[in-house]
């Protein structure tokens, strides 16, 4: 069974940077798609970025600002977030799925989430 544990959230001013980490345990890390979603209060979960094998995918609102990477030796996926905006505020969740997907309903395993707050 895959388990996901996020870390690295916090409070940052607009224009700042944060790096989130997702530690993945379980037998399917190498072949799984690992993604980041976020959820703001009162809103649906939104796809942020995903990675499977050597391919990466990004949501339109974070393209060119966020970078997803994975270290297979450490079973960890990172999300480097630059030029943060107040609208980036939310709970960021690590997610695992057998195939790459942008739909929250297709996710097989969720982490517990980490709060990111961007002040203006």
């Amino acid at each position: 069974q895959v388990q996901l544990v996020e870390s690295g959230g916090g409070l940052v001013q607009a224009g700042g940077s944060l790096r989130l980490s997702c530690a993945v345990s379980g037998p399917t890390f190498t072949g799984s798609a690992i993604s980041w979603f976020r959820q703001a209060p009162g809103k649906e979960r939104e796809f942020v970025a995903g990675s499977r094998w050597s391919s990466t995918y990004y949501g339109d609102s974070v393209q060119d600002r966020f970078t997803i990477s994975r270290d297979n030796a450490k079973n960890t996926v990172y999300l480097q977030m630059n030029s943060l905006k107040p609208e980036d505020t939310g709970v960021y969740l690590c997610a695992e799925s057998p195939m790459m997907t942008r739909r929250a309903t297709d996710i097989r395993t969720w982490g517990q989430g980490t709060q990111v707050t961007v002040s203006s």
Side-chain angles (χ1 to χ4, degrees), residues 37-97:
F37 285 73
R38 67 187 180 190
Q39 188 163 23
K43 295 188 176 181
E44 295 184 350
R45 287 184 182 180
E46 173 192 13
F47 173 80
V48 175
S51 170
R52 187 170 187 260
W53 298 114
S54 60
S55 298
T56 57
Y57 308 84
Y58 295 94
D60 291 341
S61 63
V62 306
Q63 187 79 44
D64 298 327
R65 298 189 297 123
F66 290 10
T67 303
I68 188 171
S69 61
R70 55 196 296 168
D71 186 335
N72 289 334
K74 296 183 178 180
N75 282 7
T76 301
V77 175
Y78 304 98
L79 183 68
Q80 178 66 44
M81 305 186 295
N82 298 329
S83 301
L84 283 161
K85 305 175 181 179
E87 52 263 43
D88 294 319
T89 294
V91 176
Y92 282 69
L93 302 109
C94 188
E96 181 269 343
S97 54

